[in-house]
Amino acid sequence: MRVSLRGAVKRRAQKSAKEKNKEKGSNSMRQRIIPTLASTPKKRQNGQQFQATEARGLAVLNSPFLNKGTAFTAEERKALNLTGLLPSEISTLGTQVKRAYIQYERLPDALGKNVYLTALHDRNEVLFYRLFSEHLREMIPIVNDLTVGKAMENYHHEFRRPRGVYLSIDHPDAIEDAFANFHAGPADIDLILATDAEQILGIGDWGIGGIEVSIGKLAIYTAAGGIDPTRVIPVMLDVGTNRESLLNDPMYIGNCHPRIRGERYDAFIDAYVKTATRLFPHALLQWEDFAPGNGRRILEKYRDEICTFNDDMQGTGAITLAAAISAVRVCGTPLRNQRVVIFGAGTAGIGIADQIRDAMVSDGISKAEATKRFWCVDQQGLLTDAMKAQLGDYQAAYARPAAESKDWKRDGKANGVSLAEVVRRVSPTMLIGASTAPGSFTESIVKNMAAHTERPIIFMVSYPQARAEANPADLIAWTDGRALIAAGSPCAPVTYKGVTYVVAQINNALLYPGLCLGAIVSRASKISDDMFSSAASAVSSLVTVRQPGSSLLPHIDDLRSVSMTVAVAVAETAGDEGLARVKCDDLVQQVHDAMWLPEYRLIQAS
């Protein structure tokens, strides 16, 4: 059933522009919720949607949800008191996108492009999302990833139009008022993405500026997964900051005290969860860029009570699982038979272990047996049960018996068992790097691994490329073209002995937009382990691995098609597990109808 559904999704995604234009005028066009600053869209008798508003003149142009810039028609300009407030030219959205892209390309650096896109987002939502959706591969690193980190560093000095909801641990009694001031009803919100910004990729703790993480991630949800941007809320959970440069900066606009820990922190998170789920009972709550201890504890506390997930732990793990599923299809060896060494036992590394372990269990072995197939190595060396006092709760499950490695060679500095020694002793079939330690997968380590397995599976999840554990070209040369490779950063294809190898990019954006869309369509009561496994399998199903050098994952350019396929698989699994709160008779159609499109609607004066 899933294969046929995915095929249907893929065919839908490949419709011609002409067919899509026909659909825009059809009576099947769906209504969408628009925020309270603009009234709900209505339909005319011919099926065309229009937007009614009481705003006039500059108030229309200053609303990013209403503003069309030069695309307002002559009739709209007259009715909305826009005459003389715009140049006389009446543009199409397509022309505006071309103009915006020319302006974007002229900017000299990534930070300048991030600022430009932020300004466009604040000025014209539809134009921003159309531009973004047409250039996903190029712009995702600008809107999110490391570039947003640079924007965060200057956030309190260049504070612009606020977006989302800011919640302070110093004022927990104001949480309900803050959400009420967002002016959304119980059925108006599908997704709330919150961060406390303690461990932001590449820059660590950056306090109140972490709101940019939530905003950027939600933009990807919309551009890649069709999540309606008027039905989401970015949230900043301001619990303070430990960054001295912020605490000593008189311009800092967040809570100017060290991060709050312990019972007070937990009570604040609990107040947030209870208020958000009470006010918006259908909303999925996502956690982003929390420190490993807090992130794991929060997820474990709420995952069986509400619809929630942590992308750093579960999303990274699931997309890596998707690449692993593709790799074992090439090898012809079951996933449950893999011996996995993970270098970097932090949030991402252990999250990857969790997802692959759960998939092994689904493949026919017990959880205890599956856990024994992992060797996790961190800064202190191989994790063993003799280190219990040093390990986080999330790491303890993968600690090896100390007796197993008592005779193994020790590292002279840390007195732990090094990665090289673990690879020599274990003969892994799968080596995964989540360490951000560049060059740690050395030629001797890789050749040792390749000597004991026909098709070594080597993933470098660390981002950016400068922090990757190895260079793909080296891995291919060291294994004589036998390695099955994926990387956290985009990498150019590698040609070796006449074969071109396409290096898969382990990018969470291939998975989380579709996961969320499927949960929204099915109104899932929670996000289960099987829903993640289904999402990973759906991503893997979209690649053909028979051709030598084929990518293990789909291309980033085709994210909306990927998201549709993932959403169908996730919604179907939610239904099979009894977690769906709505009946899904035609999943392909329901997913298709749920995807928001960046296109202008007629604006009518009311």
Side-chain angles (χ1 to χ4, degrees):
M1 180 179 178
R2 288 180 182 167
V3 172
S4 61
L5 284 171
R6 289 174 191 150
V9 170
K10 193 170 184 180
R11 288 192 295 275
R12 285 184 185 278
Q14 293 173 338
K15 284 185 177 182
S16 68
K18 185 176 181 180
E19 288 173 317
K20 289 182 179 178
N21 288 334
K22 287 181 179 179
E23 288 180 355
K24 292 176 186 175
S26 73
N27 290 325
S28 64
M29 178 171 268
R30 56 210 181 276
Q31 286 195 333
R32 303 194 179 283
I33 302 294
I34 299 296
T36 52
L37 56 88
S39 58
T40 304
K42 299 178 181 179
K43 286 183 184 177
R44 291 184 168 181
Q45 290 183 351
N46 65 1
Q48 183 182 8
Q49 260 188 339
F50 69 92
Q51 178 70 42
T53 183
E54 296 178 0
R56 296 292 185 275
L58 291 176
V60 175
L61 299 181
N62 289 333
S63 168
F65 302 100
L66 295 174
N67 185 24
K68 300 182 184 179
T70 56
F72 282 104
T73 66
E75 293 80 7
E76 288 174 323
R77 295 180 186 209
K78 183 176 181 180
L80 296 170
N81 296 349
L82 297 176
T83 301
L85 299 183
L86 294 165
S88 58
E89 177 203 3
I90 296 177
S91 305
T92 65
L93 178 56
T95 299
Q96 288 180 319
V97 169
K98 291 178 182 177
R99 184 182 299 123
Y101 187 64
I102 291 171
Q103 294 169 349
Y104 170 89
E105 281 194 307
R106 287 174 180 166
L107 296 167
D109 54 36
L111 183 57
K113 291 179 177 180
N114 174 276
V115 171
Y116 172 80
L117 291 176
T118 298
L120 182 60
H121 194 187
D122 290 342
R123 186 173 72 248
N124 184 328
E125 286 257 319
V126 170
L127 177 55
F128 165 76
Y129 282 114
R130 176 61 70 88
L131 175 67
F132 188 17
S133 64
E134 290 184 5
H135 300 277
L136 282 168
R137 177 188 288 272
E138 178 181 358
M139 292 184 178
I140 281 179
I142 301 298
V143 170
N144 200 42
D145 295 348
L146 289 182
T147 304
V148 80
K150 295 178 183 178
M152 265 179 257
E153 293 176 7
N154 299 302
Y155 180 78
H156 55 292
H157 290 285
E158 300 178 5
F159 184 67
R160 297 181 291 272
R161 178 182 183 270
R163 280 182 175 269
V165 171
Y166 298 77
L167 304 178
S168 169
I169 196 168
D170 297 336
H171 304 286
D173 54 337
I175 293 176
E176 184 155 356
D177 287 344
F179 278 121
N181 290 337
F182 197 78
H183 292 294
D188 292 346
I189 300 300
D190 294 325
L191 172 62
I192 304 175
L193 197 157
T195 183
D196 74 352
E198 183 168 7
Q199 190 164 303
I200 298 168
L201 178 67
I203 65 171
D205 174 3
W206 212 266
I208 196 76
I211 188 67
E212 295 287 344
V213 167
S214 297
I215 294 169
K217 198 72 172 268
L218 287 173
I220 297 173
Y221 269 112
T222 296
I227 305 299
D228 192 327
T230 68
R231 298 180 61 85
V232 303
I233 306 177
V235 171
M236 177 64 215
L237 299 169
D238 188 359
V239 299
T241 178
N242 290 340
R243 185 174 288 273
E244 287 295 327
S245 63
L246 296 179
L247 294 174
N248 295 327
D249 189 339
M251 301 297 290
Y252 182 60
I253 57 178
N255 285 333
C256 203
H257 57 66
R259 285 184 171 271
I260 302 299
R261 307 288 187 190
E263 292 182 6
R264 187 178 165 197
Y265 176 92
D266 291 345
F268 177 58
I269 296 296
D270 196 56
Y272 158 67
V273 170
K274 287 178 178 177
T275 304
T277 53
R278 175 168 51 81
L279 295 178
F280 310 111
H282 302 309
L284 185 160
L285 270 56
Q286 183 187 331
W287 311 94
E288 190 77 16
D289 286 339
F290 285 72
N294 285 336
R296 173 74 58 165
R297 190 179 68 259
I298 291 169
L299 181 63
E300 292 303 322
K301 180 176 180 179
Y302 297 107
R303 65 183 302 182
D304 291 328
E305 299 178 11
I306 62 173
C307 188
T308 189
F309 79 101
N310 183 311
D311 187 54
D312 300 309
M313 293 188 293
Q314 296 169 292
T316 301
I319 192 60
T320 307
L321 171 61
I325 292 171
S326 297
V328 298
R329 284 165 52 201
V330 177
C331 298
T333 307
L335 189 63
R336 64 180 180 271
N337 291 346
Q338 303 302 312
R339 296 184 304 280
V340 185
V341 169
I342 295 180
F343 185 53
T347 301
I350 297 300
I352 291 167
D354 287 346
Q355 292 290 336
I356 297 177
R357 180 191 62 185
D358 291 344
M360 287 179 172
V361 172
S362 298
D363 204 25
I365 60 177
S366 70
K367 186 174 182 178
E369 289 176 306
T371 304
K372 290 178 182 177
R373 304 199 73 80
F374 290 84
W375 289 260
C376 296
V377 183
D378 210 66
Q379 292 177 339
Q380 65 270 52
L382 176 67
L383 303 190
T384 71
D385 54 16
M387 304 174 176
K388 279 192 175 179
Q390 308 170 42
L391 303 182
D393 293 341
Y394 61 101
Q395 298 169 317
Y398 294 97
R400 305 292 302 189
E404 174 188 67
S405 57
K406 65 182 179 65
D407 295 327
W408 295 11
K409 182 180 177 181
R410 299 281 158 170
D411 184 277
K413 296 179 182 178
N415 199 35
V417 179
S418 68
L419 174 65
E421 180 69 359
V422 171
V423 170
R424 188 175 75 86
R425 296 280 188 168
V426 171
S427 299
T429 58
M430 189 179 296
L431 177 61
I432 299 174
S435 66
T436 66
S440 50
F441 291 176
T442 64
E443 182 175 0
S444 61
I445 287 175
V446 172
K447 285 188 172 181
N448 188 303
M449 178 186 181
H452 298 95
T453 182
E454 179 61 28
R455 300 302 304 269
I457 301 168
I458 306 176
F459 299 158
M460 296 95 54
V461 181
S462 297
Y463 183 93
Q465 181 60 38
R467 298 184 180 182
E469 289 77 9
N471 183 298
D474 289 337
L475 295 178
I476 290 169
W478 295 339
T479 62
D480 197 29
R482 293 185 288 121
L484 297 165
I485 300 169
S489 303
C491 298
V494 177
T495 300
Y496 177 80
K497 292 186 176 180
V499 176
T500 298
Y501 297 83
V502 180
V503 181
Q505 185 184 355
I506 296 177
N507 190 320
N508 294 21
L510 286 165
L511 191 132
Y512 63 76
L515 174 79
C516 185
L517 180 62
I520 289 171
V521 168
S522 63
R523 287 291 178 213
S525 58
K526 68 175 186 176
I527 306 292
S528 69
D529 292 337
D530 281 350
M531 289 163 73
F532 276 104
S533 295
S534 294
S537 295
V539 173
S540 176
S541 74
L542 293 173
V543 296
T544 302
V545 295
R546 292 187 297 271
Q547 186 74 21
S550 296
S551 175
L552 300 176
L553 293 171
H555 296 293
I556 297 296
D557 295 333
D558 199 24
L559 276 183
R560 285 185 74 93
S561 176
V562 173
S563 294
M564 291 180 74
T565 302
V566 171
V568 170
V570 168
E572 183 181 8
T573 300
D576 291 344
E577 293 188 299
L579 301 176
R581 289 179 285 189
V582 298
K583 188 177 180 181
C584 297
D585 296 318
D586 184 349
L587 278 174
V588 174
Q589 187 64 49
Q590 285 169 270
V591 168
H592 181 266
D593 289 347
M595 295 184 80
W596 182 84
L597 296 174
E599 54 192 24
Y600 289 136
R601 299 173 180 83
L602 177 65
I603 306 295
Q604 187 177 79
S606 63

